[in-house]
Amino acid sequence: MIKNVLTIAGTDCTGGAGIQADIKAISANGSYAMSVITAVVAQNTQGVQQIQMMPTDLIRAQLDSVFSDVQVDAVKIGMLGTAEVIRCVAEALQTYQPTKVVLDPVMVAKSGDRLLDSDAVAALRELLLPQVGLITPNLPEAADLLGEAEATTREQMLEQAERLGVATFLKGGHLLNQPDSPDLLWVEGQSQWLEAARIATKNSHGTGCTLSAAIATFWSQGDSLSLACAKAKAYLTGALAHADELNVGHGHGPVHHFYAYYER
């Protein structure tokens, strides 16, 4: 039976990140994608032009529509934007109790545009982190959640993952002077490094969305969290390796979510 994965996030009208990237990643990896839109974002490969947050009553209505009718096998959470939206989503999770939830704490776009209000960080930490099974921050986001400087070494990555206090897939792509792209999976005191070659491409728009959606997808299908993370990283590496086959925009283009199907 095909598993159902729900993504809760904002949009990207050029299709490289957010809800659109999540739906592509979920579908490419064999689960059925559903979505709850938290914000309509006017963005492209060069940056964010405008954001319109959805009213919280409409967000809750979308959540109720899905959970009241469909078996949700996993949830991926992306852009939430405000403390009010975070509270709305947290209350819905408390009501419906999904067992496999992946939170990508989207705070800053690759262009540098801030996507999470600074006053919402505490709400994210206090209301959502206790309810999710995995968070997937990059190094700046982990530092933001902890209120400290960004990690610059593997040792500091391990220390920060431990202090976050929840199962964490800490993305090491921001480490300087590294020939590879080391990510750290930390779960209940056990750590595992997931290594991959660093792909030389400017087309990396939506990598965080894609990775977290893929993790939720493989997890929904019965893989262990460790295996789901390893398979998702391998999928993202392939999507990055084929990203230059696409011709989308003049800035940081998207990864190639369906590369495996185009090869057939």
Side-chain angles (χ1 to χ4, degrees):
M1 186 70 68
I2 294 174
K3 300 299 184 181
N4 303 318
V5 179
L6 170 65
T7 168
I8 305 169
T11 68
D12 175 1
C13 47
T14 57
I19 285 284
Q20 285 89 335
D22 293 345
I23 290 174
K24 291 176 184 178
I26 294 164
S27 302
N29 289 294
S31 285
Y32 179 80
M34 305 175 291
S35 65
V36 166
I37 295 174
T38 59
V40 174
V41 184
Q43 65 173 309
N44 54 30
T45 64
Q46 301 181 76
V48 175
Q49 291 77 51
Q50 187 173 339
I51 299 175
Q52 178 64 58
M53 298 302 302
M54 294 292 99
T56 53
D57 60 343
L58 180 56
I59 295 172
R60 182 57 193 254
Q62 293 178 78
L63 289 163
D64 289 339
S65 292
V66 174
F67 278 108
S68 66
D69 184 47
V70 182
Q71 175 179 310
V72 178
D73 299 297
V75 178
K76 175 264 169 85
I77 303 174
M79 176 187 172
L80 298 176
T82 68
E84 291 74 21
V85 173
I86 291 169
R87 188 171 298 107
C88 172
V89 172
E91 290 173 353
L93 293 182
Q94 185 65 38
T95 299
Y96 294 106
Q97 298 284 310
T99 58
K100 297 178 179 179
V101 182
V102 177
L103 170 64
D104 183 19
V106 179
M107 297 177 180
V108 182
K110 197 173 298 294
S111 60
D113 298 281
R114 191 161 188 89
L115 299 177
L116 183 66
D117 294 346
S118 56
D119 65 349
V121 175
L124 188 77
R125 186 167 50 237
E126 296 167 10
L127 299 177
L128 270 185
L129 259 61
Q131 297 196 68
V132 305
L134 181 75
I135 60 173
T136 62
N138 58 30
L139 299 186
E141 290 162 347
D144 212 359
L145 284 169
L146 291 167
E148 57 188 55
E150 184 178 328
T152 58
T153 67
R154 291 188 182 223
E155 291 75 19
Q156 290 174 351
M157 285 179 64
L158 182 56
E159 292 169 358
Q160 289 196 346
E162 291 174 346
R163 284 199 294 276
L164 284 167
V166 62
T168 300
F169 186 99
L170 183 55
K171 297 173 287 190
H174 286 77
L175 281 185
L176 299 177
N177 303 316
Q178 293 283 327
D180 56 0
S181 180
D183 297 329
L184 173 65
L185 177 61
W186 186 92
V187 181
E188 296 181 344
Q190 301 296 314
S191 60
Q192 175 186 351
W193 288 99
L194 292 91
E195 314 278 357
R198 191 179 293 270
I199 305 297
T201 177
K202 71 170 185 175
N203 296 322
S204 57
H205 183 51
T207 52
C209 306
T210 299
L211 177 71
S212 54
I215 292 172
T217 300
F218 292 123
W219 201 14
S220 78
Q221 294 167 4
D223 289 340
S224 68
L225 190 53
S226 174
L227 181 57
C229 289
K231 289 170 70 171
K233 183 174 176 68
Y235 164 70
L236 177 59
T237 299
L240 278 164
H242 290 268
D244 291 352
E245 296 170 11
L246 300 175
N247 180 26
V248 181
H250 296 88
H252 294 285
V255 304
H256 193 343
H257 294 91
F258 291 105
Y259 70 92
Y261 296 90
Y262 282 60
E263 290 179 333
R264 293 179 178 177

